[in-house]
Amino acid sequence: MTTEAGRTPKQKMIAGELYHPDDAELGADLRACQVWLARYNAMLGRPADERRVLLREILAGVGDGAVIRPPFHCDYGFNIRIGAHVFLNFNCVILDCTTVTIGDRTQIGPGVQILTADHPREAEAREAGLEFARPIAIGRNVWIGGGALILPGVTVGDHAIIGAGAVVTRDVAPGATVVGNPARPVPAKA
């Protein structure tokens, strides 16, 4: 369905604009991803190279040697791009209403959530059912500890470390280590 501005809700969603998530095209994309996830998550006992073939069916990009251990959960898949030798451990969630990029050799612990989906702060817009999304970019050779949350719009620089359970609400500088809720930089040792 094309909106009054000539853009579909899907186009608006990917662009980070306000959109209605109950659109028929988005619903079909969600269902297709759910069917794909059922297939993928049933492959836990299969070799990583076989799972990688399936990842390439739906993700925007999958680098050589990339591994996502099932179970894995995402909204659409087509907004996710992972680099070479990226590793996501069990039970990772990526809400990919817009782009999520993960650089080469990044290691992501179990239960990590990467969340692009957001909601308006104005009550009227929420009541109207509007949503939006902000992209997440995770650099190269990043380590993200188990149970961490990466919130909408965050960029994590190359070689950064995010401690287990951290709630990352702001950008993380290259090479920085952040911990806590909200995540704060750990001071460099003298």
Side-chain angles (χ1 to χ4, degrees), residues 40-41 44 51 67-72 87-92:
Y40 186 78
N41 287 330
L44 177 60
R51 293 194 316 261
V67 172
I68 298 178
R69 282 186 169 171
F72 168 67
F87 177 79
L88 278 73
N89 214 326
F90 302 110
N91 284 318
C92 285

Side-chain angles (χ1 to χ4, degrees), residues 85-107:
H85 305 287
V86 165
F87 177 79
L88 278 73
N89 214 326
F90 302 110
N91 284 318
C92 285
V93 173
I94 301 178
L95 299 187
D96 64 312
C97 298
T98 190
T99 58
V100 173
T101 56
I102 301 172
D104 295 346
R105 299 203 176 277
T106 288
Q107 304 288 305

Side-chain angles (χ1 to χ4, degrees), residues 108-112 143-150 161-168 177-181 183 186:
I108 298 177
V112 169
W143 183 82
I144 302 175
L149 298 173
I150 313 297
I161 296 173
I162 297 171
V167 178
V168 183
T177 296
V178 299
V179 298
N181 179 5
V186 172

Side-chain angles (χ1 to χ4, degrees), residues 1-61:
M1 175 180 94
T2 301
T3 65
E4 61 283 347
R7 293 165 52 94
T8 67
K10 181 176 181 176
Q11 291 167 327
K12 288 182 168 196
M13 177 188 76
I14 293 169
E17 300 171 12
L18 289 172
Y19 71 98
H20 282 279
D22 58 354
D23 174 70
E25 180 183 18
L26 289 175
D29 288 341
L30 279 169
R31 286 186 299 282
C33 187
Q34 290 166 354
V35 168
W36 177 88
L37 284 166
R39 287 175 46 221
Y40 186 78
N41 287 330
M43 293 185 71
L44 177 60
R46 305 302 304 160
D49 58 337
E50 288 182 28
R51 293 194 316 261
R52 201 166 20 262
V53 169
L54 201 54
L55 287 171
R56 288 182 171 137
E57 286 182 11
I58 200 164
L59 301 189

